[in-house]
Amino acid sequence: MEFRFRAKHPATKRWMYFGIKNVPLWVEKDNVQQYTGVVDKKGNPIFDGDILSTDLSRPYLVVEFRNGAFMYQCHDSGKDYYDIMFPVEVEHDQDAFAEVIGNIFDNPELLNNES
């Protein structure tokens, strides 16, 4: 897995992508998101802080780095819990059931969507 990150530039408010060896000076730890090494069903990279929709009965998932691993924060039938994040097809590093629909910084309104 390669170590990739993104952070929102404070002046331009645009997401900037970078590697571990070229971290911009303006980056603050509170707005950095790390790439999980997994892509969604459309091939989009999944980062810490992304909000995902699924083909399952869950309204949404939030990706979070917790206890030394990337995890899904699940919201099922009013219950909140964590599930370890593994690609569905290990050889492809893809989650065939999830799709990135936003992130916690740009789309916090998605966290209130229970449908």
Side-chain angles (χ1 to χ4, degrees), residues 4-6 17 33-36 45-50 63:
R4 293 190 310 181
F5 302 88
R6 71 179 178 193
Y17 297 82
Q33 297 175 300
Q34 184 175 351
Y35 174 54
T36 63
I46 300 174
F47 285 82
D48 177 30
D50 278 347
V63 178

Side-chain angles (χ1 to χ4, degrees), residues 51-61 75-78 101 109-115:
I51 302 169
L52 312 174
S53 68
T54 71
D55 295 339
L56 307 173
S57 61
R58 299 172 173 157
Y60 63 88
L61 303 170
H75 307 276
D76 297 354
S77 304
I101 57 171
E109 71 280 1
L110 294 175
L111 300 176
N112 296 324
N113 182 9
E114 292 293 331
S115 59

Side-chain angles (χ1 to χ4, degrees), residues 1 7 11 25 29 36 38-39 42 47 63 76 92 110:
M1 180 178 102
L25 295 175
K29 69 177 183 171
T36 63
V38 178
V39 297
K42 292 187 174 182
F47 285 82
V63 178
D76 297 354
H92 298 293
L110 294 175

Side-chain angles (χ1 to χ4, degrees), residues 1 17 28 30 32 38-39 41 59 63 78-79 82 84 89 92 102:
M1 180 178 102
Y17 297 82
E28 297 176 11
D30 293 340
V32 175
V38 178
V39 297
K41 66 183 183 181
V63 178
K79 299 175 188 167
Y82 289 90
I84 190 109
E89 299 179 33
H92 298 293

